[in-house]
Amino acid sequence: MINDLNQLRADALAQLAPIWDDTALEEWRVKYLGRKGAISASMEQLGALPKEERGAVGKLANETKGELEAAYIAKVGAMKQRALSESLEAEPLDVTLPGRPVLRGRLHPATANLREIYRIWGDMGFQIFRSRQVESDEMNFQLLNIPPNHPARDNWSTFYVADTEQRVLLRTHTSPGQIRAMRQLSQGGTQPVRVILPGMCYRYEQISARYEIQFNQVEGLAVGRNVTFADLKGTLTEFARRMFGERPVRFYGDHFPFTEPSAQMDVQCIICDGAGCAMCKYTGFLEILGAGMVHPQVLRNGGYDPAEWSGFAFGMGPERIAILKHGIEDIRYFWANDLRFLEQF
Ligand code: PHE
């Protein structure tokens, strides 16, 4: 019996050695370690042995079983290892290569900048009023004191959509939204309004590094019973402080047909801190926005009585602000959809 067991072990190990496929391995397992396999059969024969031999033979049978089980597990591991190295050889894989970056979406720099501006004006009590991009000549010009053939029209090169009696056009600025906001929100000129009017504007320009045919503007309008030029200066100064940090601003006279008086606001250059650089053309200041007190006739066109109501308005170009903030040298990058540009933000 002892010889049988030793022979069984030697046969089993000899048969296992050349096996390298799953079916043969399973057959081997069933043949030797299965419930009806050779080891089980030997165990069953123990009972028939004389008592004196039973102990030694039983011990050997258990040892043999343990040895074959260990050999089986080692074989399973060796086969896995071999399968892995074979597949690695078949399709070479350099595990030291750096991983591929996951492409993730992000906000367009113009959108991120607009949202920053909305947040600041929102904190200061201004609501967003969305006005239309396709406008009538009346809204875009006439109700803003720019009659047909007025020389000020030269400032707003215009795309006309349809040359009907109404002269439908793409708005050249967000200012026509002033009229719409007043008419829609003031309840017949009886309630104050405080809104910003953001959105795309269009001008018939020669496209260059400095001019685009489309761009965003953020218009602002505040009308109340006692709104003064001091309110305009204070509000815009506070906006600049929140947007650009603690730095000087300056106002000086300008002209727009729909505001009187009109002003322009500059902020100390954020690139050179006023020392003078190419960005501020060595003036130390950057032009940020146009503004003014709403012209009495414009108030009237919006439904207010200018004897009792007054207001201020302003208009800024957020892309211009983003250009200044990030030192972008060409405005055409904004709508060119060039990933090399967009991925920098
Ligand atoms: N609409 C003017 C422009 O496009 C800007 C502006 C808005 C000026 C409101 C004064 C008041 O240049």
Side-chain angles (χ1 to χ4, degrees):
M1 183 78 196
I2 286 183
N3 286 340
D4 289 351
L5 276 170
N6 283 334
Q7 188 61 49
L8 173 75
R9 194 189 64 200
D11 288 350
L13 292 177
Q15 281 172 29
L16 183 62
I19 289 179
W20 287 107
D21 74 273
D22 291 339
T23 331
L25 181 66
E26 181 59 8
E27 277 167 14
W28 182 91
R29 188 190 66 76
V30 171
K31 180 174 174 190
Y32 290 102
L33 297 171
R35 256 191 310 128
K36 290 177 186 155
I39 293 287
S40 295
S42 314
M43 298 280 194
E44 269 159 32
Q45 286 170 31
L46 287 178
L49 287 178
K51 251 196 178 128
E52 322 78 75
E53 287 179 33
R54 219 181 278 161
V57 177
K59 190 165 172 250
L60 180 63
N62 273 327
E63 277 170 12
T64 307
K65 186 180 177 207
E67 216 174 309
L68 293 188
E69 278 171 355
Y72 172 77
I73 290 168
K75 190 72 187 189
V76 169
M79 279 172 60
K80 274 199 188 136
Q81 196 56 48
R82 179 184 274 214
L84 178 64
S85 32
E86 272 172 6
S87 86
L88 282 179
E89 255 163 62
E91 36 176 318
L93 172 78
D94 182 353
V95 293
T96 65
L97 276 179
R100 290 195 194 120
V102 181
L103 288 178
R104 249 198 272 145
R106 72 195 79 193
L107 289 180
H108 189 283
T111 307
N113 185 55
L114 271 172
R115 291 193 183 177
E116 164 86 353
I117 293 171
Y118 298 164
R119 190 186 56 71
I120 294 174
W121 285 113
D123 287 349
M124 290 169 67
F126 284 72
Q127 285 188 312
I128 294 182
F129 184 91
R130 297 266 173 201
S131 191
R132 58 185 68 184
Q133 298 184 31
V134 178
E135 269 295 6
S136 62
D137 185 282
E138 185 188 26
M139 286 284 174
N140 195 81
F141 291 124
Q142 295 169 40
L143 295 174
L144 297 172
N145 290 339
I146 313 167
N149 306 314
H150 190 283
R153 291 215 176 196
D154 290 353
N155 294 337
W156 292 280
S157 329
T158 309
F159 280 115
Y160 287 93
V161 174
D163 204 2
T164 57
E165 217 155 277
Q166 298 198 337
R167 304 269 279 169
V168 182
L169 47 80
L170 298 181
R171 67 176 173 196
T172 59
H173 51 175
T174 41
S175 298
Q178 287 189 33
I179 304 285
R180 293 192 182 276
M182 286 189 277
R183 289 184 175 177
Q184 217 167 301
L185 304 176
S186 72
Q187 299 182 25
T190 62
Q191 297 300 316
V193 297
R194 192 157 57 181
V195 290
I196 56 167
L197 307 103
M200 266 305 169
C201 301
Y202 305 86
R203 287 186 200 171
Y204 185 52
E205 304 273 8
Q206 176 78 47
I207 297 177
S208 70
R210 300 206 41 185
Y211 293 100
E212 252 289 8
I213 57 171
Q214 67 174 94
F215 51 90
N216 282 293
Q217 277 194 346
V218 179
E219 186 96 1
L221 174 70
V223 182
R225 291 216 173 253
N226 203 9
V227 177
T228 67
F229 198 82
D231 294 322
L232 178 156
K233 284 182 75 177
T235 308
L236 291 177
T237 303
E238 179 58 16
F239 167 77
R241 196 180 67 79
R242 295 184 187 208
M243 186 83 197
F244 301 105
E246 222 57 73
R247 51 179 72 245
V249 294
R250 67 181 186 190
F251 291 84
Y252 55 92
D254 199 340
H255 177 263
F256 300 100
F258 34 90
T259 49
E260 181 59 33
S262 303
Q264 187 159 116
M265 184 175 80
D266 290 0
V267 62
Q268 185 192 60
C269 182
I270 55 181
I271 307 295
C272 66
D273 288 334
C277 68
M279 186 65 93
C280 63
K281 300 200 199 86
Y282 301 95
T283 62
F285 277 86
L286 299 167
E287 190 186 311
I288 294 302
L289 52 81
M293 300 305 291
V294 182
H295 192 284
Q297 184 56 44
V298 175
L299 283 173
R300 219 172 274 129
N301 294 341
Y304 284 107
D305 175 1
E308 287 188 33
W309 296 85
S310 56
F312 67 78
F314 56 86
M316 63 182 92
E319 276 85 67
R320 244 189 73 77
I321 291 177
I323 278 179
L324 300 173
K325 247 174 124 167
H326 300 294
I328 300 164
E329 66 270 19
D330 194 323
I331 198 163
R332 288 171 292 192
Y333 286 137
F334 275 99
W335 319 126
N337 277 339
D338 186 335
L339 284 179
R340 289 168 303 178
F341 170 70
L342 298 174
E343 281 177 348
Q344 294 177 50
F345 297 91

